[in-house]
Amino acid sequence: MNDIEIAQAVSSVLSRFTKMTPESAVINSAAETAPPPAPERPPAPASASLNAIVARALAQKRVTTIPSPACEPGNGAFASMDEAIAAAVLAQVQYRHCLMQERATFVQGIRDVFLQEPVLQTISRMAVEETGMGNYADKLTKNRVAAQKTPGPEDLITGALSGDSGLTLTEFSAYGVIGSITPTTNPTETIINNSIGMLAAGNSVVFSPHPRSRKVSLYCVELINHKLASLGAPANLVVTVTQPSIDNTSTLISDPRINMLVATGGPAIVKTVMSSGKKAIGAGAGNPPVVVDETADIEKAARDIICGCSFDNNLPCVAEKEVIVVNQVADYLIHCMKKSGGYLLGDKALLRQMESLVLNEKGTGPDTAFVGKDARYILQQLGIIAPEDTKVILVETAKNHPFVVHELMMPVLPVVRVDNVDEAIELAVQVEHGNRHTAIMHSTNVEKLTKMARQIQTTIFVKNGPSYAGLGVGGEGHATFTIAGPTGEGLTSARSFARARRCVMVEALNVR
């Protein structure tokens, strides 16, 4: 393909933005860039025409959209994954030419939309109603912290090194088009969080939501698109499909136009994206243990454990999933947890009934019908009417019980007694399964806190607080709902979705 053919091909694509025919785009751009009439001079090179076409398209980009036959123009939802990806590719081409200040404006616009109280209330209520998981109050908190504490372009910190040989800069640049697979457990939080981080890094993003959170996910994408359009952003920086499905997710993963994949979910989807051959970030499952030793402030530990375990009905992967307590203080801890909203299920027959109720047929994980359900609802299925302030179901079990070994994602909290803190730490490492996700410890013994942190090697390690402090809720640090333990990025932010580039000036700009 020669230069003229390239220019014509590009003008054909860009004409979708400029509302011109390819022919008129070339004619108009040539007319604008040509020198005063001088027949004897040779025509301008094709590259000059190409630059003019791009410049003209970019000048008009702020008022254009790419309509899809399956949706209203401008809402970011497309009938097929192929259409969605194509739109995001074109958006990303335009986005490269936006200034950093424009990126900051767009990111702030997303924050502003989701920090409106009516919007927060609507998406939180929709998420609970559509998925049947979690609770409204905690969804409000999670959505708010996602909008407030997800880092923007300020996270892209430039590194500089100067010396006798000159100046070298290391900067963060976009990958391009990111495919983001979002879970049913945190649908809105993940879309808010990833949209801010990915756009801050200069990417466009194609979301593949879980089908059980379709309506609220589409609504969030629509809100983002309308706000970005009002701010003059390129159309379709954030897109999705009208009918999320496994097939659409498979298409997203295999499409060569996707430069990076980000998956938040179970081991299967994380393994799939890590095997895709693309740059992948995997936010996988966890089974966070909480250790309590004899030096802990037991009353505070009990409150923190109940609050953390019950947060959004235990849906967050950071939430306390099992308690391992030194026997010396176990009775008092259980007593204090009961005062803080724990319901102790001590009857062995009822415990066996609950096992049959909330575990899958093989006993290897949760029955999805009870994931994210309220503690009182679960107890009602056993014929128990619990007090209204019940937040968590407490059960004493052996260390190899399915409730301990498998992540349930429901407010059922097994308590395991051990003889000493070293045994507790050893068991915590064992039941965490090497997920490297989250662990919690309540202790005033710095030596033992350090020992557990070193041995368990989790991405998040919370000392003397509820698990959600690790997400920036009541703790220091930024928020994220994409915690990449399997692939090592940790608590993701804008720089996680950018690639490092080196720019070198030889023998210059060193002024020391």
Side-chain angles (χ1 to χ4, degrees):
M1 182 177 283
N2 59 37
D3 287 346
I4 293 176
E5 289 172 328
I6 292 172
Q8 290 173 339
V10 171
S11 68
S12 177
V13 172
L14 292 179
S15 67
R16 298 177 66 181
F17 291 97
T18 60
K19 306 299 184 183
M20 297 188 296
T21 63
E23 294 78 10
S24 65
V26 174
I27 293 170
N28 289 344
S29 62
E32 290 178 0
T33 58
E40 69 276 6
R41 295 181 63 179
S47 59
S49 295
L50 178 59
N51 289 336
I53 293 166
V54 172
R56 183 177 179 84
L58 291 173
Q60 299 188 21
K61 67 181 172 65
R62 288 173 168 77
V63 295
T64 60
T65 58
I66 302 177
S68 167
C71 64
E72 295 180 7
N75 73 357
F78 291 82
S80 70
M81 185 58 77
D82 180 73
E83 288 179 277
I85 295 172
V89 168
L90 291 173
Q92 212 286 316
V93 170
Q94 291 182 300
Y95 198 33
R96 292 178 202 162
H97 298 272
C98 289
L99 302 175
M100 290 299 294
Q101 183 54 54
E102 290 180 291
R103 285 195 209 176
T105 298
F106 303 152
V107 164
Q108 185 58 49
I110 296 174
R111 295 190 203 280
D112 291 343
V113 166
F114 290 104
L115 288 175
Q116 297 175 77
E117 202 61 28
V119 171
L120 279 173
Q121 293 172 3
T122 298
I123 63 174
S124 300
R125 187 175 296 108
M126 286 179 69
V128 173
E129 292 174 352
E130 184 176 11
T131 67
M133 302 181 195
N135 65 73
Y136 170 73
D138 292 337
K139 294 286 190 192
L140 274 176
T141 299
K142 290 165 67 179
N143 285 312
R144 184 177 288 109
V145 77
Q148 285 179 334
K149 299 190 72 172
T150 300
E154 71 279 1
D155 191 53
L156 307 174
I157 300 172
T158 298
L161 178 66
S162 65
D164 294 338
S165 297
L167 173 70
T168 293
L169 299 178
T170 301
E171 296 189 301
F172 291 101
S173 290
Y175 268 93
V177 183
I178 298 179
S180 178
I181 302 161
T182 63
T184 187
T185 51
N186 300 300
T188 55
E189 305 93 322
T190 306
I191 288 177
I192 296 167
N193 179 229
N194 283 358
S195 293
I196 290 174
M198 292 171 182
L199 265 62
N203 307 284
S204 59
V205 54
V206 182
F207 282 111
S208 184
H210 195 286
R212 286 176 58 192
S213 59
R214 171 185 172 273
K215 292 180 182 178
V216 72
S217 298
L218 288 174
Y219 182 57
C220 285
V221 170
E222 181 177 8
L223 289 174
I224 291 169
N225 274 269
H226 288 175
K227 183 62 178 182
L228 292 179
S230 73
L231 296 172
N236 298 309
L237 285 175
V238 178
V239 297
T240 188
V241 287
T242 55
Q243 296 296 331
S245 65
I246 294 175
D247 288 342
N248 275 322
T249 297
S250 298
T251 299
L252 179 72
I253 291 172
S254 62
D255 195 293
R257 295 169 292 181
I258 298 296
N259 306 107
M260 172 190 270
L261 290 167
V262 179
T264 308
I269 189 62
V270 171
K271 182 179 180 180
T272 299
V273 300
M274 290 175 66
S275 304
S276 66
K278 305 181 193 299
K279 168 65 178 177
I281 292 178
N287 191 39
V290 51
V291 166
V292 183
D293 75 6
E294 69 280 6
T295 72
D297 180 338
I298 300 301
E299 294 180 4
K300 180 181 185 299
R303 290 193 300 271
D304 288 345
I305 291 168
I306 295 297
C307 287
C309 176
S310 64
F311 189 60
D312 205 22
N313 289 347
N314 203 246
L315 282 179
C317 288
V318 300
E320 292 84 344
K321 299 297 191 285
E322 59 275 336
V323 177
I324 305 167
V325 56
V326 173
N327 191 51
Q328 178 182 335
V329 293
D331 289 335
Y332 189 47
L333 178 69
I334 293 170
H335 169 74
C336 291
M337 287 196 292
K338 288 168 65 178
K339 288 175 59 178
S340 298
Y343 183 96
L344 180 63
L345 191 67
D347 187 287
K348 299 300 182 184
L350 286 173
L351 176 56
R352 287 192 293 271
Q353 286 184 40
M354 189 165 71
E355 291 171 17
S356 301
L357 184 71
V358 304
L359 293 174
N360 60 29
E361 292 182 359
K362 296 180 180 180
T364 57
D367 182 330
T368 56
F370 289 92
V371 169
K373 288 293 191 287
D374 185 81
R376 295 182 71 229
Y377 172 82
I378 297 172
L379 289 170
Q380 284 172 7
Q381 311 315 303
L382 299 173
I384 299 171
I385 305 301
E388 290 188 7
D389 62 353
T390 299
K391 298 177 180 178
V392 172
I393 303 169
L394 302 172
V395 292
E396 281 205 57
T397 67
K399 64 182 181 181
N400 59 351
H401 192 278
F403 289 177
V404 177
V405 176
H406 302 295
E407 183 183 37
L408 298 183
M409 292 191 294
M410 62 185 76
V412 174
L413 187 63
V415 180
V416 180
R417 297 172 184 251
V418 293
D419 290 334
N420 56 66
V421 65
D422 293 313
E423 185 182 345
I425 293 171
E426 182 180 348
L427 180 58
V429 173
Q430 179 183 333
V431 300
E432 205 275 328
H433 303 307
N435 291 319
R436 296 192 173 190
H437 200 291
T438 300
I440 307 98
M441 185 172 183
H442 293 270
S443 173
T444 58
N445 187 327
V446 174
E447 178 185 348
K448 299 304 181 183
L449 286 164
T450 303
K451 177 180 179 178
M452 181 168 171
R454 285 178 174 172
Q455 291 196 7
I456 204 160
Q457 288 291 307
T458 49
T459 301
I460 296 174
F461 183 59
V462 178
K463 308 179 185 76
N464 299 315
S467 55
Y468 50 70
L471 298 177
V473 181
E476 292 296 331
H478 72 271
T480 185
F481 289 88
T482 302
I483 302 165
T487 50
E489 289 79 8
L491 280 77
T492 56
S493 62
R495 73 181 72 178
S496 306
F497 309 122
R499 57 195 182 93
R501 299 176 64 197
R502 175 177 286 192
C503 181
V504 180
M505 174 69 79
V506 178
E507 297 180 352
L509 290 179
N510 171 27
V511 297
R512 290 181 296 178

